[in-house]
Amino acid sequence: MKIYSLTSTAFEGEVIFEFDDAGNLVSFDTKGAQLSQQQQMWILKAMPRHLAHILNIMGDSKTATLTEIKQEVTFDMFWNRYNLKDRSSKKRTQVKWNRMSRADQVRAFNHIAKYELTLKPGVDKKYAESYLNAELWNN
């Protein structure tokens, strides 16, 4: 399984693509991007479904970048980055973490900073297990 992030000067955020070992598109997630209706339709209808074809298109683009997410996120990396050790259950959080797909682990880890920015003054951060259960990176 390979995970790629698509960024562009034509939209805010990123689109995440997952490919199987043969290079076939398995899934994509546009929730982290602010796409126009035309951009959404292109992804749904016109975007190639094989990694080699997408890389070929991206090689010619001056505005878009497709980057492989090679990051292997361990539970300890998540636990230390989330940094709510005094109020969260490490054991319950790790059980939830171990049940997640690698792609969701990477998304959850990468979304922490964005989540922290959305917290209003006086609102506490969710427990680490609650953060994972709520799948906030999918909102």
Side-chain angles (χ1 to χ4, degrees):
M1 182 76 65
K2 291 186 177 187
I3 303 171
Y4 284 80
S5 168
L6 173 66
T7 56
S8 174
T9 57
F11 62 84
E12 296 275 330
E14 67 179 348
V15 178
I16 302 293
F17 295 96
E18 293 180 53
F19 298 91
D20 64 17
D21 292 334
N24 298 309
L25 183 65
V26 174
S27 68
F28 61 91
D29 182 0
T30 61
K31 293 176 187 151
Q34 296 175 3
L35 301 174
S36 69
Q37 186 174 10
Q38 182 180 10
Q39 291 166 328
Q40 290 175 24
M41 294 307 292
W42 185 85
I43 289 174
L44 287 171
K45 294 185 176 188
M47 189 184 82
R49 300 296 190 227
H50 196 275
L51 179 58
H53 298 139
I54 294 172
L55 290 173
N56 189 32
I57 290 171
M58 291 297 122
D60 296 335
S61 176
K62 292 179 172 60
T63 61
T65 304
L66 191 67
T67 307
E68 184 174 2
I69 300 173
K70 294 185 179 187
Q71 180 179 15
E72 188 69 33
V73 180
T74 65
F75 174 75
D76 287 333
M77 290 170 61
F78 169 80
W79 184 251
N80 290 327
R81 172 60 186 92
Y82 197 78
N83 198 23
L84 198 62
K85 298 174 181 108
D86 59 332
R87 295 189 359 211
S88 295
S89 166
K90 185 173 185 177
K91 184 177 180 179
R92 286 193 308 262
T93 305
Q94 189 164 20
V95 167
K96 174 61 179 171
W97 179 265
N98 290 338
R99 290 182 182 153
M100 295 169 56
S101 69
R102 187 174 77 97
D104 278 344
Q105 289 173 349
V106 170
R107 284 189 204 114
F109 180 81
N110 290 335
H111 184 75
I112 294 170
K114 186 175 180 181
Y115 166 63
E116 290 172 338
L117 289 173
T118 67
L119 294 174
K120 306 260 189 275
V123 175
D124 288 337
K125 195 176 186 181
K126 290 182 179 287
Y127 298 133
E129 180 186 10
S130 298
Y131 170 81
L132 296 179
N133 284 331
E135 296 185 7
L136 298 175
W137 56 92
N138 285 328
N139 294 339

